[in-house]
Amino acid sequence: MPTNVVMEALSPTMEEGRLVEWKKQEGDAVAVGDVLAEVETDKAVMELVARAAGTLLKHIVEAGATVPVSEPVAVIGSPGDDTGEGGKRGGGEAGAGQRGSGASGEKDRGAAGQRDSKESQGTQPSPGQSRPVSMPPAPPAGAATEHRPSPESPSGSKDNGVKSDSPAPARDQQAEPRVKASPLARRIAAERGVNLVGITGSGPEGRVVARDLEGVAAKAQSSTAPPPSRPAAQPYTDVPLSQIRKTIARRLAQSIGPVPTFYLTTEVDMERIWEARQAQLALSGAKGAVGKLESGEGGRDVSVSFNDITIKAVALALRQHPACNAWWQDDRIRYWNEVHVSMAVAIEEGLITPVIRHADQKTLREIAAESRDLAGRARERRLKPEEYTGGTFSVSNLGMLDIDEFTAIINPPEAAILAVGRIGQKAVGHEDAVVLRRRMRLTMSCDHRVIDGATGAQFLKTLKGMLENPLTLVW
Amino acid sequence: MATLTYRDALNHALREEMQRDPNVFLMGEEVGVYQGAYKVSRGLLDEFGPMRVVDTPITELGFAGVGVGAAMVGLRPVIEFMTWNFALLAVDQLVNSAAKMRYMSNGQVGVPAVFRGPGGSALQLASQHSQAFESWYAHIPGLKVVMPATPADAKGLLKSAIRDDNPVIFIEGEMLYNIKGEVPEGEHVVPLGRADIKRQGSDVTIICHSKSVGVSLKAAEQLANEDVDAEVLDLRTIRPMDTEAVLNSVAKTHRCVVVEEGWPFAGVGAQVVDTIQREVFDELDAPVLRVTGADVPMPYNKQLEKAAKSDPAKVVSAVNQVLYRD
Amino acid sequence: MASSAAPRSKTKSKGLDPARADEYRGWLRQMLLIRHFEEKAGEAYSLGKIGGFCHLYIGQEAVAVGSLAALGPDDYITCSYREHGHALARGISSQAVMAELFGKASGCTGGKGGSMHLFDASLGFLGGHGIVGGHIPLTTGMAFAAKYRGTSQVAVCYFGEAAVNNGAFHEALNMAALWKLPALYLCENNRYGMGTALERASALYDISERACSYDMANEVVDGQDVLTMNAAMERAVTRARNEKLPTLLEVRTYRFMGHSMSDPIHGHYRTREEVEGQRKRDPIAGWSQRLIADGLMDEDSVRSMDKNVLQEVEEAYQFADQAPDPAPEELYTHVYAGEEGER
């Protein structure tokens, strides 16, 4: 039986996609997982893969067409199938789902109807009563609403490009097993973003209770807490907005656009970093130049750029200032316990922000390698959605373009972005003399709903201290 | 502070209120010449005379109705039932007359009366003299139900009950009359409808009233030895219930046990549990458990009677369950 | 068995006192008002405008009118659930009573009490009560309060003959006699407790003799003669006011209608002939003839009075029909003193 291939949502915000190129032609044999086409989303060029095996019977759209998400683009089936009917949604599986539940629902309804008829005369006969007892109950209309496939279920069209006409086992519709948990445990888990599925419950019959989450969940860390050596078990802590925080948010947003931004600028002395980098470059044998990335791939000879150093310093500073490592979530602020630094990369069509995950826990060399890979693939528009979403703080660097300093636009829901200017020699007072020193200007844009002036300033101060004392980056 | 027995605290409250308001009078079986079956009214006949301390025939329905009628026209009777077991004969007057008069008359006629006497289980008094009826009266809109656990509360709550313009069911603990406690000197009034934290704690809330307060405090002491920090919340007034205090405590501790002397079915604890699950469901880390009297008429035999009553061991066991300490 | 024993107290057949002519004519008007009001209430019930139970007072009008005329404005009155007539005779307006039967906000208890629970505290009218005998101890309590305060008030309790068999009656009368309270227990013996004849429920036929158990004054009164009723009541009230002693009055009367609107005029428990026979002693016909015979009224003035009363009842009906229902928030008012409602 033929099944439709539909335009899938290949990025979180994608509403339509442009079919760039068909990789399988009409008549080609197709296995599950085969790349059928390349699709350009709002963020990247992605692959549309087959969810069913068979023969690609028909391209419904031609290359170059723009197709809304979940609309059909092709048909897979056996040769000879009528492709005209391929688009019909699988009614069989929904029917199967309804049938079983409908029967049990009908049983209750019928019993209730009989009770009613005994107690009060003159009421309308219930559906259960009006039917002969021997007749198998038909699914009541109302039951269908309870078993409508959810968007997350395999039969939901958004997640699955291919619709199967064969009845899916009902069990498959329940994606996750029901976890027994106390109401308090559920609340805590929801607040901390913990998935209860993986938690072993210590209560009766494995009920997850509050104490089972004690090891898993920790409160937002204070600014002086040392960074954990491993990723935190729960990645963030949601803190519902206090009234004062709500008022600040509302009033500041009224004052300046939807994101009430303010800017903090500081100047960092880069002499010691400069020296350190020169030394590192000498060690690795690479010929580094200011603000320029080497193209050496992999291994130990990856050169570390100033941008990499800045990202690392930012990540470590965020560890000490979780108040700046946060998302604005409208009714709450999500304080992340993990540090994922977005780095702005200019590409031909504009801008994308690939993310260095757990940047605080990576070595400079790892960050250098990763940033190079991400930037390269960004320019080729080959990033996967998960590689350019989920950042907790952004860094934008225009130093290589000789910009002294600038203000960057915050990338919501992140609460701040750091704009990095060029490193240039400047006459400054140093140890009672006016000398030339390499300096770099940092400007932090802060969402005032999340970060207050002093909060941002303290973060910048820490960051400046780290950059001026490079040892802190390796210790 | 003076140290008084629960009995004398009640006596002082009656005396002070009768001195304060000439409309207050005491009526019941053996309240006068006999000085009270439990000596709560000791000395009052001498002080106030037979018009204000009225001995009645053994006729609960009759004198309860007399009290309601007198209250309907502005007196403030305190009607003593020798025990609440005997008040069953007067339930029609309490439910159909006292509780409903204000509503039926659209606010024209109120019943500012207190109906008081000992209730709850006693010692080997068998089935007809050893039972707890607070849930019966708490079920009735129009009645307030008050149950002091300490001498100080006994005095302060009785004074408030007498001053209240509603019919108040005031159930004293039959086993509490001899307990002693500090009672503030002078005017001491405890408002109706306010619970009292008898012991602060953070791990579990034990909600109780009347004699169960002592049981719960003993349980809390045992639990403290096992590093469990129990909060003991004395409802004091069953209706109107201080739900705010209940919810605040449960929201703090996340676990709750409700202790009462009465039978389990539709007991006071059932109402407490309903409120908790409805209002602070997401605070609960365990189902709320109840410790009640056994679901049987009270037996006479001492061992059977002990098994039928709630006691500290049963409370500790329930707390261990809600804390998942097995 | 249907014919009553000869009442012990009878007003002698002497001429009516012309000095009380206005009062006597007033009694006729009150009885006519009760009669026509109840007829209209029956009609409204059949139209669905009155719900629940509705117990009519037709046939017993002289009891309420004659006895209440003997009371002062500060005295206390309680009744059973067959109390429309007493409420009207005590002076609650026909509009307020009809509106209450209709369950309207303008009713004398705001639509919350209904037919069985009429109140007007300003008139000392402290309720129709729905539990047979339940209000008898309340009245004893009100008499106790009068004695407690040293006032000259009396408390009167109206109840049917079926109530004398229950414990509340016994307990309340015993205490009233024991404590010498200014209470008046007026038993309206209409011969049937619902469908159970007196002799099928009570071992003692003469209810007045129950008072002997409490060493209480008692009297049997012809309740179909308003003047006789009034005279007996005055004796009892005087005893209560002056001697602080209670009285049990057994007032022999008859209900011309069924027990309630759901009971036919004569069901299985009494015959058509019995009802017809009793109707010949209609208290209203008897009293209007007496007034005419004694020259205090003539047929025209009686007709005119009747017309006037019919007009008032019609107006009460219209008033009740158009009156508003209680506001929804009234559901929670007056459950407790000092609070709008308890939730």
Side-chain angles (χ1 to χ4, degrees), chain A residues 394-409:
Chain A
S394 289
V395 173
S396 179
N397 191 339
L398 293 177
M400 68 289 263
L401 298 174
D402 248 12
I403 297 297
D404 288 329
E405 64 176 294
F406 69 105
T407 56
I409 305 296

Side-chain angles (χ1 to χ4, degrees), chain B residues 22 59 62 73 93 143 166 239, chain C residues 134 148-149 171 331 336-337 342:
Chain B
T59 170
V73 296
Q93 292 301 338
L143 297 180
N166 296 288
R239 181 176 183 141
Chain C
Y148 185 94
R149 291 189 176 123
E171 297 186 19
L331 177 62
Y336 288 90
E342 194 200 40

Side-chain angles (χ1 to χ4, degrees), chain C residues 23-312:
Chain C
E23 189 184 356
Y24 292 156
R25 284 190 286 264
W27 293 352
L28 179 62
R29 191 182 188 288
Q30 283 192 331
M31 289 197 287
L32 283 168
L33 177 63
I34 295 169
R35 174 70 52 94
H36 291 316
F37 181 98
E38 294 289 61
E39 288 165 353
K40 197 72 181 175
E43 183 188 326
Y45 192 92
S46 66
L47 293 173
K49 291 179 184 294
I50 297 175
F53 297 141
C54 185
H55 310 90
L56 302 184
Y57 198 55
I58 291 172
Q60 302 177 218
E61 295 90 342
V63 182
V65 171
S67 59
L68 286 166
L71 293 182
D74 296 331
D75 294 331
Y76 300 127
I77 299 133
T78 66
C79 299
S80 73
Y81 44 78
R82 193 184 302 284
E83 89 286 30
H84 308 168
H86 308 77
L88 293 168
R90 183 60 178 176
I92 307 182
S93 79
S94 51
Q95 292 187 344
V97 177
M98 189 67 86
E100 189 56 40
L101 303 196
F102 278 52
K104 298 298 186 67
S106 318
C108 60
T109 52
K112 280 179 172 168
S115 163
M116 296 188 286
H117 309 301
L118 303 174
F119 281 78
D120 188 333
S122 69
L123 297 171
F125 194 83
L126 298 178
H129 298 267
I131 308 297
V132 171
H135 62 303
I136 307 178
L138 303 184
T139 316
T140 304
M142 292 166 197
F144 177 88
K147 180 169 179 175
Y148 185 94
R149 291 189 176 123
T151 69
S152 61
Q153 292 162 293
V154 304
V156 182
C157 184
Y158 292 87
F159 52 92
E161 86 289 342
V164 306
N165 298 313
N166 83 18
F169 169 85
H170 165 67
E171 297 186 19
L173 267 66
N174 179 55
M175 281 185 281
L178 178 70
W179 296 334
K180 300 189 169 26
L181 302 180
L184 231 151
Y185 302 96
L186 198 155
C187 173
E188 297 191 58
N189 177 3
N190 66 16
R191 309 236 186 111
Y192 295 94
M194 270 189 84
T196 302
L198 169 61
E199 59 271 24
R200 292 177 57 228
S202 176
L204 197 62
Y205 186 81
D206 287 315
I207 286 164
S208 62
E209 290 181 17
R210 302 265 187 160
C212 301
S213 305
Y214 322 114
D215 195 21
M216 186 186 289
N218 64 90
E219 205 172 324
V220 178
V221 184
D222 177 3
Q224 301 310 85
D225 179 352
V226 68
L227 190 60
T228 302
M229 180 69 246
N230 180 254
M233 187 71 173
E234 284 191 338
R235 284 189 290 278
V237 169
T238 301
R239 186 178 298 115
R241 255 194 244 296
N242 298 347
E243 301 173 51
K244 306 295 175 201
L245 288 174
T247 301
L248 172 62
L249 292 180
E250 179 194 349
V251 179
R252 296 202 171 163
T253 183
Y254 199 82
R255 110 168 107 69
F256 293 173
M257 310 297 286
H259 168 71
S260 68
M261 289 304 297
S262 51
D263 178 30
I265 289 174
H266 46 86
H268 298 294
Y269 58 90
R270 59 185 189 178
T271 62
R272 179 187 297 275
E273 290 70 31
E274 179 186 314
V275 176
E276 292 306 318
Q278 287 292 336
R279 276 186 173 277
K280 287 180 184 139
R281 294 202 67 234
D282 185 318
I284 297 176
W287 185 238
S288 61
Q289 284 157 16
R290 182 79 192 270
L291 289 174
I292 293 167
D294 279 41
L296 299 183
M297 291 185 81
D298 57 26
E299 292 200 2
D300 277 350
S301 60
V302 170
R303 245 194 309 278
S304 163
M305 178 183 279
D306 193 53
K307 212 175 147 189
N308 176 275
V309 165
L310 281 170
Q311 178 64 27
E312 178 182 337

Side-chain angles (χ1 to χ4, degrees), chain A residues 2-193:
Chain A
T3 53
N4 277 353
V5 179
V6 302
M7 176 63 70
E8 299 183 13
L10 299 167
S11 88
T13 52
M14 172 175 165
E15 290 173 351
E16 58 183 24
R18 191 170 70 89
L19 201 140
V20 178
E21 183 188 355
W22 282 110
K23 295 288 187 186
K24 292 281 181 187
Q25 304 309 317
E26 291 182 358
D28 286 357
V30 173
V32 172
D34 283 356
V35 175
L36 298 176
E38 287 195 329
V39 170
E40 182 183 39
T41 75
D42 53 341
K43 297 270 199 294
V45 177
M46 304 288 295
E47 289 169 341
L48 183 65
V49 299
R51 312 279 180 187
T55 302
L56 196 144
L57 297 177
K58 187 182 177 188
H59 290 157
I60 294 177
V61 299
E62 295 303 319
T66 299
V67 182
V69 166
S70 79
E71 287 296 308
V73 295
V75 182
I76 294 174
S78 310
D81 277 351
D82 180 356
T83 55
E85 289 182 358
K88 288 193 178 168
R89 297 282 148 92
E93 66 189 73
Q98 285 173 5
R99 194 183 189 102
S101 61
S104 65
E106 188 61 25
K107 193 175 172 188
D108 295 335
R109 221 177 303 271
Q114 282 166 12
R115 268 200 305 281
D116 286 346
S117 68
K118 273 181 195 166
E119 285 170 9
S120 58
Q121 293 169 337
T123 55
Q124 292 291 325
S126 74
Q129 263 186 305
S130 60
R131 227 180 350 257
V133 177
S134 60
M135 223 170 119
T145 58
E146 296 162 25
H147 295 274
R148 187 170 292 153
S150 67
E152 295 80 27
S153 73
S155 57
S157 56
K158 269 201 170 179
D159 299 296
N160 194 341
V162 177
K163 296 292 294 181
S164 168
D165 269 356
S166 60
R171 196 174 299 140
D172 289 355
Q173 297 193 2
Q174 297 170 348
E176 289 189 345
R178 165 158 167 80
V179 176
K180 285 179 184 158
S182 76
L184 177 65
R186 281 190 191 284
R187 204 197 71 196
I188 292 171
E191 282 173 5
R192 299 181 180 175

Side-chain angles (χ1 to χ4, degrees), chain B:
Chain B
M1 286 280 190
T3 300
L4 292 180
T5 62
Y6 187 93
R7 177 197 330 278
D8 288 340
L10 292 167
N11 179 275
H12 289 197
L14 282 170
R15 175 175 285 112
E16 288 171 21
E17 291 305 298
M18 290 178 75
Q19 286 167 346
R20 187 186 61 79
D21 183 353
N23 284 325
V24 177
F25 69 96
L26 176 66
M27 175 179 276
E29 295 156 6
E30 312 291 7
V31 297
V33 175
Y34 193 89
Q35 308 289 310
Y38 292 85
K39 302 294 182 258
V40 170
S41 55
R42 186 166 48 202
L44 298 182
L45 175 63
D46 288 346
E47 183 172 348
F48 298 103
M51 199 66 221
R52 297 187 67 193
V53 180
V54 186
D55 280 324
T56 67
I58 299 178
T59 170
E60 279 81 10
L61 186 167
F63 68 76
V66 167
V68 174
M72 285 172 72
V73 296
L75 296 189
R76 304 189 83 89
V78 177
I79 303 299
E80 177 173 315
F81 294 115
M82 190 179 289
T83 81
W84 279 96
N85 305 292
F86 312 149
L88 292 181
L89 290 157
V91 167
D92 176 53
Q93 292 301 338
L94 301 178
V95 173
N96 275 321
S97 295
K100 297 170 183 169
M101 204 64 69
R102 181 175 296 279
Y103 196 79
M104 293 195 304
S105 68
N106 202 29
Q108 296 182 68
V109 182
V111 180
V114 175
F115 301 90
R116 52 157 288 273
S121 55
L123 284 179
Q124 285 196 279
L125 295 186
S127 296
Q128 293 181 341
H129 284 72
S130 207
Q131 46 197 337
F133 286 117
E134 53 267 32
S135 69
W136 287 35
Y137 299 108
H139 189 61
I140 309 297
L143 297 180
K144 294 188 175 182
V145 181
V146 177
M147 299 189 70
T150 66
D153 286 345
K155 181 176 179 186
L157 289 168
L158 182 53
K159 288 173 75 100
S160 286
I162 291 170
R163 297 179 194 187
D164 200 284
D165 286 335
N166 296 288
V168 178
I169 304 295
F170 194 93
I171 305 178
E172 297 152 15
E174 187 163 347
M175 302 296 291
L176 298 178
Y177 283 125
N178 284 330
I179 66 161
K180 287 184 180 165
E182 301 257 288
V183 179
E185 309 268 8
E187 179 78 341
H188 170 59
V189 179
V190 175
L192 305 188
R194 302 263 179 82
D196 185 42
I197 307 276
K198 289 286 193 277
R199 183 188 195 283
Q200 298 270 359
S202 57
D203 292 334
V204 59
T205 300
I206 304 176
I207 296 174
C208 49
H209 60 270
S210 191
K211 201 172 72 187
S212 299
V213 174
V215 171
S216 302
L217 285 169
K218 277 200 187 110
E221 278 171 38
Q222 291 181 27
L223 287 161
N225 294 334
E226 301 166 33
D227 275 343
V228 173
D229 188 16
E231 179 146 307
V232 175
L233 186 146
D234 176 5
L235 290 173
R236 299 201 293 196
T237 302
I238 308 300
R239 181 176 183 141
M241 189 178 287
D242 189 350
T243 51
E244 193 183 342
V246 168
L247 298 177
N248 285 343
S249 179
V250 175
K252 180 175 75 171
T253 63
H254 307 297
R255 294 146 203 105
C256 183
V257 169
V258 191
V259 188
E260 64 185 306
E261 291 196 86
W263 294 297
F265 195 97
V268 170
Q271 181 63 32
V272 175
V273 173
D274 165 70
T275 304
I276 291 170
Q277 62 85 23
R278 189 156 27 83
E279 301 290 341
V280 289
F281 180 75
D282 289 317
E283 298 291 348
L284 287 176
D285 199 32
V288 180
L289 294 187
R290 296 172 57 203
V291 176
T292 68
D295 204 7
V296 297
M298 187 64 80
Y300 168 72
N301 172 278
K302 206 167 188 170
Q303 297 313 314
L304 292 182
E305 183 187 57
K306 186 175 184 317
K309 290 181 181 178
S310 49
D311 61 20
K314 290 174 185 170
V315 177
V316 167
S317 166
V319 167
N320 281 334
Q321 278 187 66
V322 299
L323 284 166
Y324 304 109
R325 300 168 84 238
D326 296 316

